[in-house]
């Protein structure tokens, strides 16, 4: 996984990120988030870590082509710094992101508790039971796609997440790296950024009985915001608790929090997605 996300410096503030892993013709948004974040971190030469990023997906990228990331400085202070990252393929800007960096400080603390029990074993058992009760689950396309991802995913409620029935606009999944990535704090934050775009935009679709890939909806991520509250250890399980408080005007709003196994809130995510109904052919 670290090799997949690695970016290579090709000039002053310019980096190239390799393609893949391909899950379809489009570049996965989390891949661009992670590579863009790593490029920005390579330009940040002082002891500051990224604490937030705000990105816009401008055009669909290709999963088969490398991506060029250009990093520029927006501000430099004693505690904070901000950088802009523009991603291009074939001379076209497909993605832009601002990243803010902050030195480590201490201050007042509070955090909302996890909305689900911190029991990954129960989630494994629920998935196993769901597969037993659903004869077609083992051959479903999403199962094969998930097994090819470098992030291991165990949903709390697979029936609502992957089924075709209407469901509450909320869910949770356990996530961790399939192969250990090490303790580097920059890489660990990039891995979480990659994972933050997985199983996310479907929350806004759950009440409407549609899922990504359905012929009833055109779906795509429009923008993405991520706040790091601390450095994750994505070699271990993290609970990604997500929900959608609103959908309308062919868009859906999704938000979520990452928690570690001790119940600490590690990061917060928000995203607006396109969920345009398709006209059904008669």
């Amino acid at each position: 996984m670290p090799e997949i996300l690695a970016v290579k410096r090709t000039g002053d503030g310019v980096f190239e990120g390799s393609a893949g892993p391909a899950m379809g013709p489009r570049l996965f948004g989390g891949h661009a988030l992670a590579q863009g974040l790593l490029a920005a971190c390579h330009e940040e030469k002082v002891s500051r870590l990224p604490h937030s990023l705000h990105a816009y997906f401008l055009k669909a990228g290709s999963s088969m082509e490398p991506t060029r990331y250009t990093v520029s400085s927006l501000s430099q202070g004693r505690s904070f710094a901000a950088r802009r990252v523009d991603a291009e393929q074939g001379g076209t800007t497909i993605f832009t992101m601002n990243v803010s960096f902050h030195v480590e400080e201490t201050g007042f603390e509070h955090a909302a508790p996890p909305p689900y029990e911190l029991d990954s074993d129960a989630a494994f058992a629920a998935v196993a039971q769901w597969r037993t009760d659903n004869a077609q689950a083992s051959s479903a396309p999403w199962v094969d796609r998930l097994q090819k991802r470098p992030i291991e995913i165990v949903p709390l409620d697979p029936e609502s997440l992957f089924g075709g029935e209407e469901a509450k606009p909320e869910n949770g999944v356990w996530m961790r790296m399939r192969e250990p990535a090490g303790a580097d704090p920059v890489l660990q934050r990039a891995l979480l950024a990659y994972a933050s775009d997985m199983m996310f935009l479907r929350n806004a679709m759950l009440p409407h009985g549609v899922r990504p890939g359905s012929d009833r909806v055109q779906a795509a991520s429009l923008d993405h915001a991520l706040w790091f509250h601390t450095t994750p250890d994505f070699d271990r399980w993290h609970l990604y608790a997500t929900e959608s408080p609103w959908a309308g005007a062919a868009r859906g709003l999704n938000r979520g929090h990452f928690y570690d196994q001790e119940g600490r809130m590690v990061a917060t995510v928000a995203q607006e997605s396109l969920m345009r109904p398709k006209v059904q052919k008669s």
Side-chain angles (χ1 to χ4, degrees):
M1 176 67 169
E3 294 77 14
I4 293 171
L5 296 182
V7 292
K8 177 177 66 176
R9 185 184 293 274
T10 60
D12 186 14
V14 181
F15 301 82
E16 183 177 283
S18 60
M23 299 298 144
R26 290 189 175 188
L27 177 67
F28 172 52
H31 196 90
L33 290 168
Q35 287 188 329
L37 180 61
L38 287 173
C41 290
H42 284 320
E43 286 295 282
E44 186 60 34
K45 299 180 177 64
V46 295
S47 57
R48 289 185 283 243
L49 286 170
H51 75 93
S52 70
L53 60 85
H54 297 259
Y56 284 92
F57 302 100
L58 305 178
K59 292 184 179 297
S62 169
S63 63
M64 306 304 293
E65 298 180 20
T67 304
R68 171 176 169 166
Y69 298 92
T70 302
V71 182
S72 56
S73 177
L74 298 178
S75 68
Q76 292 283 341
R78 287 185 296 180
S79 299
F80 290 89
R83 296 186 181 275
R84 172 173 169 165
V85 182
D86 293 307
E88 296 181 13
Q89 285 186 343
T92 299
T93 301
I94 62 171
F95 167 89
T96 186
M97 176 171 71
N98 288 349
V99 183
S100 182
F101 296 83
H102 184 206
V103 297
E104 185 175 355
E105 298 187 57
T106 58
F108 303 107
E109 294 185 7
H110 75 271
Y116 303 106
E117 293 291 329
L118 297 173
D119 190 347
S120 56
D121 290 338
F124 271 100
V127 171
Q129 186 63 49
W130 181 76
R131 286 179 172 172
T132 299
D133 296 341
N134 293 267
Q136 296 181 346
S138 60
S139 61
W142 67 265
V143 174
D144 183 58
R145 288 196 296 267
L146 287 183
Q147 292 304 314
K148 293 179 179 178
R149 291 289 178 107
I151 305 291
E152 188 174 2
I153 297 175
V154 180
L156 300 185
D157 185 355
E159 179 59 35
S160 67
L161 204 59
F162 300 113
E165 301 298 322
E166 296 179 2
K168 292 182 179 180
E170 59 189 37
N171 217 296
V173 296
W174 286 97
M175 293 181 166
R176 71 174 178 184
M177 291 297 300
R178 292 190 185 276
E179 300 292 338
D184 177 65
V186 170
L187 177 58
Q188 285 290 339
R189 293 182 187 220
L191 294 173
L192 188 143
Y194 180 97
S196 70
D197 197 32
M198 300 176 71
M199 319 306 297
F200 197 35
L201 61 77
R202 70 182 56 221
N203 283 274
M205 301 183 189
L206 293 178
H208 310 285
V210 293
R211 305 294 187 271
S214 167
D215 59 3
R216 295 173 52 201
V217 64
Q218 178 186 356
S221 302
L222 298 175
D223 59 10
H224 198 94
L226 172 57
W227 296 265
F228 299 101
H229 309 314
T230 188
T231 297
D233 179 2
F234 228 63
D235 292 351
R236 303 178 65 219
W237 288 111
H238 282 67
L239 174 66
Y240 192 16
T242 57
E243 63 170 347
S244 172
W246 173 89
R251 304 191 311 276
L253 180 64
N254 306 281
R255 61 189 182 189
H257 303 287
F258 280 93
Y259 296 89
D260 65 16
Q261 290 177 296
E262 287 68 49
R264 293 187 309 161
M265 185 186 292
V266 172
T268 296
V269 192
Q271 181 187 92
E272 192 173 47
S273 60
L274 175 70
M275 43 183 291
R276 178 182 292 139
K278 290 184 177 180
V279 177
Q280 298 297 300
K281 296 180 180 180
S282 56

